[in-house]
Amino acid sequence: MGISKYPSVAAKSQEFTSSGTWIYTGAEWVDVLLVGGVGGGGGGQTGAAYAGGGGGGGEIVSRRIRVTADLTVAIGAAAAGGAADTDGTAGNNSTLTGGATLTAYGGAKGIRAASSADGMGGNGGGTGKWSFLQGQDPIVTIGMSNIAGGCGGMSEHAAEAANGASSVPGFGLAYGSPYAAGGSGGASYGNGGLSAAAAAGGAAAANSGGGGAGGGDGAHAGGAGGSGYCLIMWEV
């Protein structure tokens, strides 16, 4: 996965997989990649062959910003998947405050299966969009618009469930979902969780921004969403 590149100058970077502080170095500008936390998948319905929807992926924000002081990074925590007959939990925002302010919005929760109806997938965090050719290694460019997280997939009774959507080709992948499974999690900077029939929904990886998959048909829990992520780069 590409990041902003400096072809003629040295650069330093600091990665945040949990909340922390970037100490001001005297650099005038920094490049920031910030990913929101993600929604958990909804649970399947007890005593019925209906499955939960996948959680929505977290928003991806990329900016070159002017800084004058330390930056406080708050990483959106992973959201829990729902138990059987229970919605997942909405994703948490990731924020940057101090010398500048940015927010990457968390993805929406996956909806449980209930009253003999399939669960709906959660919306992706944010409203921005970006596009790359399929398979192209994306470079996060300076001043790039926000990328909305992919929507979680809807479950489907007695058929293949809907895929979770990609945030953008080349970033997280939109997994397919097997027959009578929960909807897969929406993608973001990384992949959403993968669903399975008659089994708990798969969790997304930590710091991926990917949504948790919905719980499979029957009393199966949804998977947890991935936590957020931040990368700060600056010129030496």
Side-chain angles (χ1 to χ4, degrees):
M1 230 171 270
I3 55 176
S4 298
K5 294 178 172 63
Y6 299 90
S8 60
V9 297
K12 288 188 176 181
S13 64
Q14 185 174 357
E15 185 178 49
F16 292 87
T17 57
S18 59
S19 299
T21 302
W22 178 82
I23 303 301
Y24 180 58
T25 64
E28 183 178 8
W29 296 89
V30 296
D31 282 355
V32 178
L33 176 67
L34 187 65
V35 181
V38 194
Q45 184 180 4
T46 301
Y50 291 90
E59 182 181 31
I60 304 169
V61 175
S62 175
R63 292 285 190 277
R64 169 164 277 196
I65 56 175
R66 187 187 296 272
V67 290
T68 58
D70 296 352
L71 299 173
T72 300
V73 179
I75 297 298
D85 308 308
T86 306
D87 293 344
T89 304
N92 300 283
N93 300 340
S94 293
T95 61
L96 187 78
T97 56
T101 301
L102 290 176
T103 300
Y105 291 99
K109 64 185 179 182
I111 305 301
R112 69 189 186 280
S115 301
S116 299
D118 295 304
M120 298 293 291
N123 290 328
T127 57
K129 58 185 177 180
W130 194 251
S131 61
F132 288 93
L133 297 175
Q134 183 68 45
Q136 177 181 345
D137 180 31
I139 298 174
V140 177
T141 55
I142 295 167
M144 187 176 74
S145 297
N146 301 8
I147 300 173
C151 294
M154 178 182 175
S155 59
E156 184 69 27
H157 177 59
E160 291 184 359
N163 299 348
S166 289
S167 56
V168 58
F171 275 81
L173 300 176
Y175 282 129
S177 299
Y179 183 88
S184 56
S188 175
Y189 192 63
N191 302 337
L194 183 60
S195 60
N207 304 117
S208 66
D217 53 325
H220 294 100
S227 50
Y229 173 79
C230 181
L231 175 68
I232 299 176
M233 294 186 64
W234 64 98
E235 298 178 11
V236 176

